[in-house]
């Protein structure tokens, strides 16, 4: 085991810029103005980087189904930055604060991704992540109170989970449902990630199993705190919460330490900025000791992790080996 503990502090001041709802009638310009004001609040607090939610430029449009997907094209960005979003990039450069932003992406060859970017303090894009785990359903389910048709509106990315050098450390991204899967964190953990940034939109009513509704906040914290601790990394989860077009969504944005402890958490479900100083050196206390992966992991006895998607069972319910 390496055993080397934290050295000279490497502090990144991180802001989580939670948003309240974005209604369907809100213009993109008004939303960008709102994002800019959150960015200024974070910069006033001395933040190095500010994290915005998933699909932060629009309402969460997968709650509606349209037979002709091109009718939803206006929810997607064809370029980044664009004339509409450039004020945010200019504000970042002016205030010398980086940011991470989620939005719907429509590529020149017509592919649709749920995307998050990482922007440096000079306003340049350093990284782009496209959502891997796409939840919900791909066809219209009219019996539902509201749709969650992400699997219709977005294709799952095969790019995987990158980790980039930025803000003096190793930074990765994940989007909403990704945070529920341990593989997400581990893929980045195996690249020595120190700071994982995540935006989310989580409806408080899980229609396939309402018994989970009362646990939405618990499960949100559970997965992010576990992912942080088990990989010795900071995790920042940022919500678009509140009641959007009649659908209530979880707020409870978090900044979590490599110990799994919560450093900061929002109290309301509207626009709100929380800030925490994240000393990336703290990661070493976990990554070089109890979770020194190179020393302790046993990939040779985990073959199923990459060779199968779900359990393989016989008709009688016993596992196929
Ligand atoms: N946006 C997103 O990924 N939300 C999901 C909701 C799952 S219910 C279909 C989440 O995991 O929070």
């Amino acid at each position: 085991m390496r055993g080397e503990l934290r050295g000279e502090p490497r502090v990144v001041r991180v802001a989580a810029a939670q948003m309240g709802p974005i209604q369907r009638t809100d213009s993109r310009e008004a939303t960008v103005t709102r994002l800019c004001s959150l960015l200024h609040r974070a910069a006033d607090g001395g933040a190095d980087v500010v994290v915005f939610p998933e699909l932060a430029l629009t309402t969460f449009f997968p709650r509606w189904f349209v037979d002709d997907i091109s009718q939803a094209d206006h929810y997607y960005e064809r370029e980044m930055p664009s004339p509409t979003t450039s004020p945010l990039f200019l504000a970042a450069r002016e205030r010398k604060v980086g940011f991470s932003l989620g939005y719907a992406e429509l590529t020149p060859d017509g592919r649709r991704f749920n995307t998050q970017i990482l922007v440096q303090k000079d306003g340049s894009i350093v990284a782009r992540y496209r959502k891997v785990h796409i939840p919900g359903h791909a066809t219209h389910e009219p019996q539902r109170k509201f749709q969650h048709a992400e699997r219709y509106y977005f294709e799952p990315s095969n790019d995987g989970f990158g980790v980039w050098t930025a803000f003096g450390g190793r930074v990765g991204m994940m989007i909403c449902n990704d945070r529920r899967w341990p593989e997400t964190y581990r893929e980045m953990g195996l690249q020595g990630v120190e700071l994982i940034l995540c935006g989310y939109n989580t409806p408080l009513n899980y229609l396939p199993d309402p018994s989970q509704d009362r646990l939405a906040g618990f499960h949100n914290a559970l997965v992010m705190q576990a992912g942080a601790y088990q990989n010795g990394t900071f995790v920042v989860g940022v919500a678009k919460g509140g009641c959007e077009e009649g659908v209530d969504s979880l707020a409870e944005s978090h900044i979590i330490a490599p110990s799994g402890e919560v450093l900061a958490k929002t109290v309301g479900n509207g626009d709100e900025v929380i800030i925490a100083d994240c000393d990336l050196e703290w990661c070493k206390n976990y990554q070089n000791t109890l979770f020194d992966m190179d020393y302790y992991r046993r990939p040779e006895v985990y073959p199923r992790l990459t060779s199968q998607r779900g359990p393989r069972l016989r008709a009688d319910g016993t596992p196929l080996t």
Side-chain angles (χ1 to χ4, degrees), residues 81-157:
S82 64
T84 316
T85 51
S86 62
L88 186 60
F89 289 75
L90 292 172
R93 199 165 66 188
E94 179 202 323
R95 298 300 307 270
K96 297 187 177 51
V97 55
F99 67 88
S100 186
L101 176 77
Y103 62 92
E105 177 190 7
L106 180 54
T107 68
D109 55 350
R111 301 177 72 185
R112 296 167 194 274
F113 294 104
N114 189 337
T115 296
Q116 187 172 321
I117 50 169
L118 183 61
V119 176
Q120 310 207 82
K121 293 181 175 186
D122 64 359
S124 64
I125 297 175
V126 61
R128 182 191 64 208
Y129 167 73
R130 291 166 168 166
K131 191 171 181 176
V132 166
H133 300 101
I134 309 288
H137 48 101
T139 56
H140 192 209
E141 297 190 359
Q143 76 285 3
R144 296 171 67 108
K145 265 194 302 196
F146 57 87
Q147 305 293 299
H148 196 108
E150 274 197 71
R151 292 176 77 89
Y152 176 65
Y153 286 108
F154 301 113
E155 70 174 274
S157 165

Coordinates of all heavy atoms in Angstrom, one line a residue, residues 81-157:
P81 N -19.9 27.5 -27.5 CA -21.0 28.5 -27.2 C -21.8 28.9 -28.5 O -21.2 28.7 -29.6 CB -20.3 29.7 -26.6 CG -18.9 29.6 -27.0 CD -18.6 28.2 -27.3
S82 N -22.9 29.4 -28.3 CA -23.7 30.0 -29.4 C -24.0 31.5 -29.1 O -23.7 31.9 -28.0 CB -25.1 29.3 -29.5 OG -25.8 29.5 -28.2
P83 N -24.6 32.2 -30.0 CA -24.8 33.6 -29.7 C -25.7 33.7 -28.4 O -25.5 34.6 -27.6 CB -25.6 34.1 -30.9 CG -25.1 33.2 -32.1 CD -24.8 31.9 -31.4
T84 N -26.6 32.8 -28.2 CA -27.4 32.8 -27.0 C -26.7 32.5 -25.7 O -26.9 33.1 -24.6 CB -28.6 31.9 -27.1 OG1 -29.1 32.0 -28.4 CG2 -29.7 32.2 -26.1
T85 N -25.8 31.5 -25.8 CA -25.1 31.1 -24.5 C -23.8 31.8 -24.3 O -23.2 31.7 -23.2 CB -24.8 29.6 -24.6 OG1 -24.2 29.2 -25.8 CG2 -26.1 28.8 -24.5
S86 N -23.3 32.6 -25.3 CA -22.0 33.2 -25.1 C -21.9 34.1 -23.9 O -20.8 34.3 -23.3 CB -21.5 33.9 -26.4 OG -22.4 34.9 -26.7
P87 N -23.0 34.8 -23.5 CA -22.9 35.7 -22.3 C -22.4 34.9 -21.1 O -21.6 35.5 -20.3 CB -24.3 36.2 -22.1 CG -24.9 36.2 -23.4 CD -24.4 34.9 -24.1
L88 N -22.7 33.7 -20.9 CA -22.2 32.9 -19.8 C -20.7 32.7 -19.9 O -20.0 32.8 -18.9 CB -22.9 31.5 -19.8 CG -22.7 30.6 -18.6 CD1 -23.1 31.3 -17.3 CD2 -23.5 29.3 -18.7
F89 N -20.2 32.4 -21.1 CA -18.8 32.2 -21.3 C -18.0 33.5 -21.1 O -16.9 33.5 -20.5 CB -18.5 31.7 -22.7 CG -19.0 30.2 -22.9 CD1 -20.3 29.9 -23.1 CD2 -18.1 29.2 -22.9 CE1 -20.7 28.6 -23.3 CE2 -18.5 27.9 -23.1 CZ -19.8 27.6 -23.3
L90 N -18.6 34.6 -21.5 CA -18.0 35.9 -21.3 C -17.9 36.3 -19.8 O -16.9 36.8 -19.3 CB -18.8 37.0 -22.1 CG -18.7 36.9 -23.6 CD1 -19.6 37.9 -24.3 CD2 -17.2 37.1 -24.1
A91 N -19.0 36.0 -19.1 CA -19.1 36.2 -17.7 C -18.0 35.4 -17.0 O -17.3 35.9 -16.1 CB -20.4 35.9 -17.1
A92 N -17.8 34.2 -17.4 CA -16.8 33.3 -16.8 C -15.4 33.9 -17.0 O -14.6 34.0 -16.0 CB -16.9 31.9 -17.4
R93 N -15.2 34.3 -18.2 CA -13.9 34.9 -18.5 C -13.6 36.2 -17.7 O -12.5 36.4 -17.1 CB -13.7 35.1 -20.0 CG -12.3 35.3 -20.4 CD -12.1 35.2 -21.9 NE -12.7 36.3 -22.6 CZ -12.9 36.4 -23.9 NH1 -12.5 35.4 -24.7 NH2 -13.4 37.4 -24.5
E94 N -14.7 37.0 -17.7 CA -14.6 38.3 -17.0 C -14.3 38.1 -15.5 O -13.5 38.7 -14.9 CB -15.9 39.1 -17.2 CG -16.0 40.4 -16.5 CD -17.4 40.8 -16.3 OE1 -18.3 40.5 -17.2 OE2 -17.8 41.4 -15.3
R95 N -15.0 37.1 -14.9 CA -14.9 36.9 -13.4 C -13.8 35.8 -13.1 O -13.6 35.5 -11.9 CB -16.3 36.4 -12.9 CG -17.4 37.4 -13.0 CD -17.2 38.7 -12.3 NE -16.8 38.6 -10.9 CZ -17.6 38.6 -9.9 NH1 -18.9 38.7 -10.1 NH2 -17.2 38.6 -8.7
K96 N -13.2 35.3 -14.1 CA -12.2 34.3 -13.9 C -12.7 33.1 -13.0 O -12.1 32.7 -12.0 CB -10.9 34.9 -13.3 CG -10.3 35.9 -14.2 CD -8.9 36.3 -13.6 CE -8.2 37.3 -14.5 NZ -9.0 38.5 -15.0
V97 N -13.8 32.6 -13.5 CA -14.4 31.4 -12.8 C -14.8 30.4 -13.8 O -15.4 30.8 -14.8 CB -15.5 31.8 -11.8 CG1 -16.6 32.6 -12.6 CG2 -16.2 30.6 -11.1
G98 N -14.5 29.1 -13.6 CA -14.9 28.1 -14.6 C -16.3 27.6 -14.3 O -16.9 28.0 -13.3
F99 N -16.8 26.8 -15.1 CA -18.2 26.3 -14.9 C -18.4 25.0 -15.6 O -17.6 24.6 -16.5 CB -19.3 27.3 -15.2 CG -19.5 27.6 -16.7 CD1 -20.3 26.8 -17.5 CD2 -18.8 28.7 -17.3 CE1 -20.4 27.1 -18.9 CE2 -19.0 29.0 -18.6 CZ -19.8 28.2 -19.4
S100 N -19.4 24.2 -15.1 CA -19.8 23.0 -15.8 C -21.3 23.1 -16.0 O -22.1 23.5 -15.1 CB -19.5 21.8 -14.9 OG -19.8 20.6 -15.6
L101 N -21.7 22.8 -17.3 CA -23.1 23.1 -17.7 C -23.7 21.9 -18.4 O -23.1 21.4 -19.3 CB -23.1 24.3 -18.6 CG -24.4 24.7 -19.3 CD1 -25.3 25.4 -18.2 CD2 -24.2 25.6 -20.5
G102 N -24.9 21.5 -18.1 CA -25.6 20.5 -18.8 C -26.6 21.0 -19.8 O -27.3 22.1 -19.5
Y103 N -26.7 20.4 -20.9 CA -27.6 20.8 -22.0 C -27.9 19.7 -23.0 O -27.2 18.7 -23.0 CB -27.1 22.1 -22.7 CG -25.8 21.8 -23.5 CD1 -25.8 21.4 -24.8 CD2 -24.6 22.0 -22.8 CE1 -24.6 21.2 -25.5 CE2 -23.4 21.7 -23.4 CZ -23.4 21.3 -24.8 OH -22.2 21.1 -25.4
A104 N -29.0 19.8 -23.8 CA -29.3 18.9 -24.8 C -28.5 19.2 -26.1 O -28.5 20.4 -26.5 CB -30.7 18.9 -25.1
E105 N -27.8 18.2 -26.6 CA -26.9 18.5 -27.8 C -27.4 17.8 -29.0 O -27.7 16.6 -29.0 CB -25.5 17.9 -27.4 CG -24.5 18.1 -28.6 CD -23.2 17.3 -28.3 OE1 -23.1 16.6 -27.3 OE2 -22.3 17.5 -29.1
L106 N -27.5 18.5 -30.1 CA -27.8 18.0 -31.4 C -26.6 18.1 -32.3 O -26.2 19.3 -32.6 CB -29.1 18.7 -32.0 CG -29.6 18.2 -33.4 CD1 -29.9 16.7 -33.4 CD2 -30.9 19.0 -33.7
T107 N -26.0 17.0 -32.7 CA -24.8 17.1 -33.5 C -25.0 17.4 -34.9 O -26.2 17.2 -35.4 CB -24.0 15.8 -33.4 OG1 -24.7 14.8 -34.1 CG2 -23.8 15.4 -31.9
P108 N -24.0 17.8 -35.7 CA -24.2 18.1 -37.1 C -24.8 16.9 -37.9 O -25.5 17.1 -38.8 CB -22.8 18.5 -37.6 CG -22.1 19.0 -36.4 CD -22.7 18.2 -35.2
D109 N -24.4 15.7 -37.4 CA -25.0 14.5 -38.1 C -26.3 14.0 -37.5 O -26.6 12.8 -37.7 CB -23.9 13.4 -38.3 CG -23.3 13.0 -36.9 OD1 -23.6 13.7 -35.9 OD2 -22.6 12.0 -36.9
G110 N -26.9 14.8 -36.7 CA -28.3 14.5 -36.2 C -28.4 13.6 -35.0 O -29.4 13.1 -34.7
R111 N -27.3 13.5 -34.3 CA -27.3 12.6 -33.1 C -27.7 13.5 -31.9 O -27.3 14.7 -31.8 CB -26.0 11.9 -32.9 CG -25.6 11.1 -34.1 CD -24.3 10.5 -34.0 NE -24.3 9.4 -33.0 CZ -23.2 8.7 -32.6 NH1 -22.0 9.1 -33.1 NH2 -23.2 7.8 -31.7
R112 N -28.4 12.9 -30.9 CA -28.9 13.6 -29.8 C -28.3 13.1 -28.5 O -28.5 11.9 -28.2 CB -30.4 13.5 -29.7 CG -31.1 14.2 -30.9 CD -32.6 13.8 -31.1 NE -33.1 14.1 -32.4 CZ -33.6 15.3 -32.7 NH1 -33.6 16.3 -31.8 NH2 -33.9 15.6 -33.9
F113 N -27.7 13.9 -27.8 CA -27.0 13.5 -26.5 C -27.4 14.4 -25.4 O -27.7 15.6 -25.6 CB -25.5 13.6 -26.6 CG -24.9 12.6 -27.6 CD1 -24.5 13.0 -28.8 CD2 -24.8 11.2 -27.3 CE1 -24.0 12.1 -29.8 CE2 -24.3 10.3 -28.2 CZ -23.9 10.7 -29.4
N114 N -27.4 13.9 -24.2 CA -27.6 14.6 -22.9 C -26.2 14.9 -22.4 O -25.5 14.0 -22.0 CB -28.4 13.8 -21.9 CG -28.8 14.6 -20.7 OD1 -28.2 15.6 -20.4 ND2 -29.8 14.1 -20.0
T115 N -25.8 16.2 -22.5 CA -24.3 16.5 -22.5 C -24.0 17.5 -21.3 O -24.9 18.3 -20.9 CB -24.0 17.2 -23.8 OG1 -24.1 16.2 -24.9 CG2 -22.5 17.7 -23.9
Q116 N -22.8 17.4 -20.8 CA -22.3 18.3 -19.8 C -20.9 18.7 -20.2 O -20.1 17.9 -20.6 CB -22.3 17.7 -18.5 CG -22.0 18.6 -17.3 CD -22.2 17.9 -15.9 OE1 -23.2 17.1 -15.8 NE2 -21.3 18.1 -15.0
I117 N -20.6 20.0 -20.2 CA -19.2 20.5 -20.5 C -18.5 21.1 -19.3 O -19.2 21.4 -18.3 CB -19.2 21.5 -21.6 CG1 -20.2 22.6 -21.3 CG2 -19.5 20.9 -23.0 CD1 -20.1 23.9 -22.2
L118 N -17.2 21.1 -19.4 CA -16.4 21.7 -18.3 C -15.6 22.9 -19.0 O -15.0 22.7 -20.0 CB -15.4 20.7 -17.7 CG -14.5 21.2 -16.6 CD1 -15.4 21.7 -15.4 CD2 -13.6 20.2 -16.2
V119 N -15.8 24.1 -18.4 CA -15.2 25.3 -19.0 C -14.2 25.9 -18.1 O -14.5 26.0 -16.8 CB -16.4 26.3 -19.3 CG1 -15.8 27.6 -19.8 CG2 -17.4 25.7 -20.3
Q120 N -13.1 26.3 -18.6 CA -12.0 26.8 -17.7 C -12.3 28.3 -17.4 O -13.1 28.9 -18.0 CB -10.7 26.6 -18.4 CG -10.5 25.2 -18.9 CD -9.0 24.9 -19.0 OE1 -8.4 24.5 -18.0 NE2 -8.4 25.0 -20.2
K121 N -11.4 28.9 -16.6 CA -11.6 30.3 -16.2 C -11.4 31.2 -17.3 O -11.8 32.4 -17.2 CB -10.6 30.6 -15.1 CG -10.8 29.8 -13.8 CD -9.8 30.2 -12.7 CE -10.2 29.6 -11.4 NZ -9.4 30.0 -10.3
D122 N -10.8 30.8 -18.4 CA -10.6 31.7 -19.6 C -11.8 31.6 -20.5 O -11.8 32.1 -21.6 CB -9.3 31.5 -20.3 CG -9.2 30.1 -20.9 OD1 -10.2 29.3 -20.7 OD2 -8.2 29.7 -21.5
G123 N -12.8 30.8 -20.2 CA -14.0 30.6 -21.0 C -13.8 29.6 -22.1 O -14.7 29.4 -22.9
S124 N -12.7 28.8 -22.1 CA -12.6 27.8 -23.1 C -13.1 26.4 -22.6 O -13.0 26.1 -21.4 CB -11.1 27.6 -23.5 OG -10.3 27.2 -22.3
I125 N -13.6 25.6 -23.5 CA -14.2 24.3 -23.1 C -13.0 23.3 -23.0 O -12.3 23.1 -24.0 CB -15.2 23.8 -24.2 CG1 -16.4 24.8 -24.2 CG2 -15.7 22.4 -23.8 CD1 -17.4 24.5 -25.3
V126 N -12.9 22.7 -21.8 CA -11.8 21.8 -21.6 C -12.3 20.3 -21.8 O -11.5 19.4 -22.2 CB -11.1 22.0 -20.3 CG1 -12.0 21.8 -19.1 CG2 -9.9 21.1 -20.1
A127 N -13.5 20.1 -21.6 CA -14.0 18.7 -21.6 C -15.5 18.7 -22.0 O -16.3 19.6 -21.6 CB -13.8 18.0 -20.3
R128 N -15.9 17.6 -22.6 CA -17.3 17.3 -22.9 C -17.7 15.9 -22.5 O -17.0 15.0 -22.9 CB -17.6 17.5 -24.4 CG -19.1 17.4 -24.7 CD -19.3 17.3 -26.2 NE -18.6 16.2 -26.8 CZ -18.2 16.1 -28.0 NH1 -18.2 17.1 -28.8 NH2 -17.6 15.0 -28.4
Y129 N -18.7 15.7 -21.7 CA -19.2 14.4 -21.3 C -20.6 14.2 -21.8 O -21.4 15.1 -21.7 CB -19.1 14.2 -19.8 CG -19.9 13.0 -19.3 CD1 -19.4 11.7 -19.6 CD2 -21.2 13.1 -18.8 CE1 -20.1 10.6 -19.2 CE2 -21.9 12.0 -18.5 CZ -21.3 10.7 -18.7 OH -22.0 9.6 -18.4
R130 N -20.9 13.0 -22.4 CA -22.2 12.7 -22.9 C -22.8 11.5 -22.0 O -22.1 10.5 -21.9 CB -22.2 12.3 -24.4 CG -21.9 13.5 -25.3 CD -21.5 13.0 -26.6 NE -21.4 14.1 -27.6 CZ -20.9 14.0 -28.8 NH1 -20.3 12.9 -29.2 NH2 -20.9 15.1 -29.6
K131 N -24.0 11.7 -21.6 CA -24.6 10.8 -20.6 C -24.6 9.3 -21.1 O -24.9 9.0 -22.2 CB -26.0 11.2 -20.3 CG -26.7 10.5 -19.1 CD -28.0 11.3 -18.9 CE -28.8 10.7 -17.7 NZ -30.0 11.5 -17.4
V132 N -24.1 8.4 -20.2 CA -24.0 7.0 -20.6 C -25.2 6.2 -20.2 O -25.7 5.4 -21.0 CB -22.7 6.4 -19.8 CG1 -22.7 4.9 -19.8 CG2 -21.5 7.0 -20.4
H133 N -25.7 6.4 -19.0 CA -26.9 5.6 -18.5 C -28.2 6.5 -18.7 O -28.4 7.5 -18.0 CB -26.8 5.3 -17.0 CG -25.6 4.5 -16.7 ND1 -24.4 5.0 -16.2 CD2 -25.3 3.2 -16.8 CE1 -23.5 4.1 -16.0 NE2 -24.0 2.9 -16.4
I134 N -29.0 6.1 -19.7 CA -30.2 6.9 -20.0 C -31.4 6.2 -19.4 O -31.8 5.1 -19.8 CB -30.4 6.9 -21.6 CG1 -29.1 7.4 -22.3 CG2 -31.5 7.9 -21.9 CD1 -28.7 8.9 -22.0
P135 N -32.0 6.8 -18.4 CA -33.2 6.2 -17.7 C -34.5 6.4 -18.5 O -34.5 7.1 -19.5 CB -33.2 6.9 -16.4 CG -32.7 8.3 -16.8 CD -31.7 8.2 -17.9
G136 N -35.5 5.8 -17.9 CA -36.9 6.1 -18.4 C -37.2 5.2 -19.6 O -36.8 4.0 -19.6
H137 N -38.0 5.7 -20.5 CA -38.6 4.8 -21.6 C -38.4 5.5 -23.0 O -38.2 6.7 -23.0 CB -40.0 4.5 -21.3 CG -40.8 5.8 -20.9 ND1 -41.6 6.4 -21.8 CD2 -40.9 6.5 -19.8 CE1 -42.2 7.4 -21.2 NE2 -41.7 7.5 -20.0
A138 N -38.6 4.6 -24.0 CA -38.3 5.1 -25.4 C -39.6 5.4 -26.2 O -39.5 5.9 -27.3 CB -37.4 4.1 -26.1
T139 N -40.7 4.9 -25.7 CA -42.0 5.1 -26.4 C -43.0 5.8 -25.5 O -42.8 5.9 -24.3 CB -42.6 3.7 -26.8 OG1 -42.7 2.9 -25.6 CG2 -41.7 3.0 -27.8
H140 N -44.1 6.3 -26.2 CA -45.1 7.0 -25.4 C -45.8 6.1 -24.5 O -46.2 5.0 -24.9 CB -46.1 7.6 -26.4 CG -47.0 8.6 -25.8 ND1 -48.2 8.9 -26.2 CD2 -46.8 9.4 -24.7 CE1 -48.8 9.8 -25.5 NE2 -47.9 10.2 -24.5
E141 N -45.9 6.5 -23.2 CA -46.6 5.7 -22.2 C -47.8 6.5 -21.7 O -47.6 7.2 -20.6 CB -45.7 5.2 -21.1 CG -44.6 4.3 -21.7 CD -43.7 3.6 -20.6 OE1 -44.0 3.9 -19.4 OE2 -42.8 2.8 -21.0
P142 N -48.9 6.6 -22.4 CA -49.9 7.5 -22.1 C -50.6 7.3 -20.7 O -51.2 8.3 -20.2 CB -51.0 7.3 -23.2 CG -50.6 6.1 -23.9 CD -49.2 5.8 -23.6
Q143 N -50.4 6.2 -20.1 CA -51.0 5.9 -18.8 C -50.3 6.7 -17.7 O -50.8 6.8 -16.6 CB -51.1 4.4 -18.5 CG -49.8 3.8 -18.1 CD -48.8 3.5 -19.2 OE1 -49.1 3.9 -20.4 NE2 -47.6 2.9 -18.9
R144 N -49.1 7.1 -18.0 CA -48.3 7.8 -17.0 C -48.8 9.3 -16.8 O -49.2 9.9 -17.7 CB -46.8 7.9 -17.4 CG -46.1 6.6 -17.5 CD -44.7 6.8 -18.1 NE -43.8 7.5 -17.3 CZ -42.8 7.0 -16.6 NH1 -42.5 5.7 -16.8 NH2 -42.0 7.7 -15.8
K145 N -48.7 9.8 -15.5 CA -49.0 11.2 -15.2 C -48.1 12.1 -16.0 O -48.5 13.2 -16.5 CB -48.8 11.5 -13.7 CG -50.1 11.3 -12.9 CD -49.9 12.0 -11.5 CE -48.7 11.4 -10.8 NZ -48.6 11.7 -9.4
F146 N -46.9 11.8 -16.2 CA -46.0 12.5 -17.0 C -45.0 11.5 -17.6 O -44.7 10.4 -17.0 CB -45.2 13.6 -16.2 CG -44.5 13.2 -15.0 CD1 -43.2 12.7 -15.1 CD2 -45.1 13.2 -13.8 CE1 -42.5 12.3 -14.0 CE2 -44.4 12.7 -12.6 CZ -43.1 12.3 -12.7
Q147 N -44.4 11.9 -18.7 CA -43.4 11.0 -19.3 C -42.0 11.1 -18.7 O -41.7 12.2 -18.1 CB -43.4 11.3 -20.8 CG -44.7 11.2 -21.6 CD -45.3 9.8 -21.6 OE1 -44.7 8.9 -22.1 NE2 -46.4 9.6 -20.9
H148 N -41.2 10.1 -18.9 CA -39.8 10.3 -18.7 C -39.1 9.7 -19.9 O -38.3 8.6 -19.8 CB -39.3 9.7 -17.4 CG -37.9 10.2 -17.0 ND1 -37.7 11.1 -15.9 CD2 -36.7 10.0 -17.5 CE1 -36.4 11.4 -15.8 NE2 -35.8 10.7 -16.8
A149 N -39.3 10.3 -21.1 CA -38.9 9.6 -22.3 C -37.4 10.0 -22.7 O -37.2 10.2 -23.9 CB -39.9 10.0 -23.4
E150 N -36.5 9.9 -21.8 CA -35.1 10.2 -22.1 C -34.6 9.3 -23.1 O -33.7 9.6 -24.0 CB -34.3 10.2 -20.8 CG -34.2 11.4 -20.1 CD -33.0 11.4 -19.1 OE1 -31.9 11.5 -19.5 OE2 -33.3 11.3 -17.9
R151 N -35.1 8.0 -23.1 CA -34.5 7.0 -24.1 C -35.1 7.3 -25.5 O -34.6 6.6 -26.4 CB -34.9 5.6 -23.6 CG -34.1 5.3 -22.3 CD -34.4 3.9 -21.7 NE -33.8 2.8 -22.4 CZ -32.6 2.3 -22.2 NH1 -31.9 2.8 -21.2 NH2 -32.2 1.3 -22.9
Y152 N -36.0 8.1 -25.6 CA -36.5 8.6 -26.9 C -35.7 9.8 -27.4 O -35.3 9.8 -28.6 CB -38.0 8.9 -26.8 CG -38.6 9.5 -28.1 CD1 -38.7 8.7 -29.2 CD2 -39.1 10.8 -28.1 CE1 -39.4 9.2 -30.4 CE2 -39.7 11.3 -29.2 CZ -39.9 10.5 -30.4 OH -40.5 11.0 -31.5
Y153 N -35.4 10.7 -26.5 CA -34.8 11.9 -26.9 C -33.3 11.9 -26.9 O -32.6 12.8 -27.5 CB -35.2 13.0 -25.9 CG -36.6 13.5 -26.1 CD1 -37.7 13.1 -25.2 CD2 -37.0 14.2 -27.2 CE1 -39.0 13.5 -25.4 CE2 -38.3 14.6 -27.5 CZ -39.3 14.3 -26.6 OH -40.6 14.7 -26.8
F154 N -32.6 10.9 -26.3 CA -31.2 10.8 -26.2 C -30.7 9.4 -26.5 O -31.2 8.5 -26.0 CB -30.7 11.3 -24.8 CG -31.1 12.6 -24.4 CD1 -32.0 12.8 -23.4 CD2 -30.6 13.8 -25.1 CE1 -32.4 14.1 -23.0 CE2 -31.0 15.0 -24.7 CZ -31.9 15.2 -23.7
E155 N -29.6 9.4 -27.2 CA -28.9 8.1 -27.4 C -27.9 8.0 -26.3 O -27.3 9.0 -25.9 CB -28.3 7.9 -28.8 CG -27.1 8.7 -29.1 CD -26.5 8.4 -30.5 OE1 -25.7 7.5 -30.5 OE2 -26.9 9.0 -31.5
P156 N -27.6 6.7 -25.8 CA -26.6 6.6 -24.8 C -25.2 6.7 -25.4 O -24.9 6.2 -26.5 CB -26.8 5.1 -24.3 CG -27.6 4.4 -25.3 CD -28.3 5.5 -26.1
S157 N -24.4 7.5 -24.8 CA -23.0 7.7 -25.3 C -22.1 6.5 -25.0 O -22.2 5.8 -24.0 CB -22.4 8.9 -24.6 OG -21.0 8.9 -24.9

